Amino acid sequence: MSRFFRLIGLLMVLGAGFSPVVAQWLWDDPFMVMQAWWFKPMIFGGIGLMVLTSILGTSLGQRKIKSGQPALGVIQSIQQTGIYINEQPEVRMTLKVSRQGRETYDAELRSVIPLTSLSQFQPGSVIPLVVSEKDERKVGLDQHGTVTQEHMQELLNEKMMQQGIAPEMVDIARTGEKGLAKIVDVTPLGNGSNGNIKLQLKLSITKPNGETFEVTTQKEIVPSALSQVQQGHIINVFYSRQDPSKVALALQVQEQQLNQLFSS
């Protein structure tokens, strides 16, 4: 409905603006129209209708998607619409949206962003979202903590499995025992899947009780994380309680990695 009234407002402005040209052509007197009682109300009314419907459309859109299903979005593009509400700019973002159990899909979001927070909304940034229960294309910013750390981890685990990480390793990372590992030796084994690098790692792992044991394991590492798995480095790991030789690495995830995972 807001689009309909915005169109009416645009037609009113265009009609009023074009009418002096018609008057000049028909009667050789453009001021005849410009001095008419309806000319200014038609222009200002049309402008007001467009501005009000834009503001109301934004406000109503925010209310419709204030709550919903948790999701994560990767910003593909962002631009200001030229509308300000309470001196804060409205922006239009195109997004890649990831939800648990769904394929990644495209969506668009219009939202008012405080000027002090604009730097956090750049192409490539990963942002928490809520998705409408009725229409998954309608998304909003998560302003109430709907996307918890658990939701993010579950989505991350799902994406990692889609990238070829064994479900067993994901399960160990979720339920295994946490330990510290010193990288004793690193042997490159060539290219892995999805552009990853395959390595053979010899690890000396220290359990929480102080006991140590050694494990030799093969892992595929994304290129941006290669600097974290160098000989002599100390990293966090998770190992299976039933079989400590099965180890999952707990490397720091960079925003670039998140971007790649949630855009695919």
Side-chain angles (χ1 to χ4, degrees):
M1 184 62 73
S2 61
R3 290 182 179 178
F4 172 75
F5 285 113
R6 192 179 299 125
L7 176 61
I8 295 298
L10 177 62
L11 292 175
M12 289 172 64
V13 172
L14 291 177
F18 192 66
S19 57
V21 177
V22 176
Q24 172 69 26
W25 179 55
L26 292 177
W27 301 292
D28 199 27
D29 185 6
F31 295 100
M32 172 183 177
V33 170
M34 297 172 64
Q35 294 174 352
W37 65 268
W38 50 264
F39 184 75
K40 289 183 178 179
M42 189 171 178
I43 288 183
F44 292 121
I47 293 173
L49 198 57
M50 287 190 293
V51 171
L52 285 175
T53 51
S54 295
I55 294 174
L56 287 174
T58 299
S59 301
L60 290 173
Q62 289 292 330
R63 282 200 291 272
K64 288 179 182 176
I65 49 180
K66 186 184 296 183
S67 61
Q69 296 295 318
L72 290 176
V74 178
I75 299 175
Q76 303 299 298
S77 67
I78 180 170
Q79 61 182 3
Q80 294 190 27
T81 64
I83 296 173
Y84 284 77
I85 299 177
N86 295 327
E87 300 183 353
Q88 306 300 330
E90 182 194 59
V91 299
R92 180 188 295 109
M93 293 178 276
T94 57
L95 306 165
K96 289 284 187 181
V97 180
S98 292
R99 295 176 60 192
Q100 194 169 3
R102 302 288 185 88
E103 294 291 331
T104 300
Y105 62 92
D106 297 323
E108 185 176 287
L109 166 63
R110 290 167 62 110
S111 182
V112 177
I113 305 294
L115 287 169
T116 54
S117 301
L118 273 178
S119 61
Q120 302 173 28
F121 295 84
Q122 299 298 323
S125 297
V126 180
I127 57 174
L129 302 171
V130 288
V131 179
S132 168
E133 300 276 5
K134 297 180 179 179
D135 183 357
E136 68 176 11
R137 298 288 172 179
K138 292 182 179 179
V139 299
L141 294 178
D142 177 24
Q143 300 175 341
H144 303 286
T146 301
V147 182
T148 64
Q149 187 65 38
E150 289 75 16
H151 284 126
M152 292 185 65
Q153 189 61 54
E154 289 172 358
L155 274 170
L156 183 59
N157 291 344
E158 184 178 274
K159 288 295 182 180
M160 290 174 66
M161 285 189 285
Q162 291 173 359
Q163 293 293 314
I165 304 299
E168 182 184 31
M169 289 295 104
V170 174
D171 186 61
I172 290 173
R174 184 172 62 249
T175 63
E177 189 75 38
K178 187 175 182 180
L180 286 176
K182 180 179 180 179
I183 302 176
V184 179
D185 187 57
V186 181
T187 304
L189 299 176
N191 296 326
S193 58
N194 299 309
N196 295 336
I197 300 172
K198 194 172 184 178
L199 302 174
Q200 179 172 286
L201 303 174
K202 185 177 181 180
L203 306 173
S204 177
I205 300 175
T206 302
K207 295 181 179 181
N209 62 7
E211 295 180 9
T212 62
F213 63 97
E214 288 193 350
V215 169
T216 299
T217 183
Q218 294 183 5
K219 300 292 181 186
E220 290 192 9
I221 306 296
V222 294
S224 58
L226 190 60
S227 61
Q228 300 180 51
V229 286
Q230 298 299 309
Q231 187 173 354
H233 285 194
I234 305 295
I235 61 174
N236 290 310
V237 297
F238 292 93
Y239 58 90
S240 169
R241 292 182 175 90
Q242 291 75 30
D243 184 358
S245 66
K246 295 179 179 178
V247 177
L249 309 185
L251 302 178
Q252 294 181 356
V253 180
Q254 306 296 324
E255 185 172 30
Q256 181 184 0
Q257 295 170 246
L258 290 176
N259 185 325
Q260 292 173 349
L261 280 172
F262 292 116
S263 294
S264 61

